[in-house]
Amino acid sequence: MEISQYPYISFFILVCFSLVLFTYYTVWVIVLPFVDSDHVIHTFFLPREYSVILPGMAALILILCVGLFIGVVTWKNRKPKKVD
């Protein structure tokens, strides 16, 4: 395998992971409330309150990481003050 194919492979893996995650979440939030609570499909999913908590925590972590990145870049690019 050539080294030039690695970005395509990583892109393919990320797209597949995103599709699986989106499909799982869509079934969990949109389809599952219409299925009987004693159906066997409910064993594959977490309780419904986590459908709000997990994306909220992911958004909070994302905002924290973006803010941290902006802070580090700003700190590294600051100009030192000239002393006369």
Side-chain angles (χ1 to χ4, degrees), residues 25 28-29 46-61:
Y25 189 77
W28 184 24
V29 172
L46 292 172
R48 247 182 254 147
E49 52 267 3
Y50 288 109
S51 66
V52 176
I53 294 171
L54 292 177
M57 293 298 292
L60 186 65
I61 291 171

Side-chain angles (χ1 to χ4, degrees), residues 27-66:
V27 169
W28 184 24
V29 172
I30 296 175
V31 176
L32 215 58
F34 298 107
V35 178
D36 291 334
S37 60
D38 58 344
H39 197 273
V40 81
I41 198 170
H42 282 278
T43 59
F44 298 110
F45 297 93
L46 292 172
R48 247 182 254 147
E49 52 267 3
Y50 288 109
S51 66
V52 176
I53 294 171
L54 292 177
M57 293 298 292
L60 186 65
I61 291 171
L62 178 69
I63 290 171
L64 178 69
C65 289
V66 168

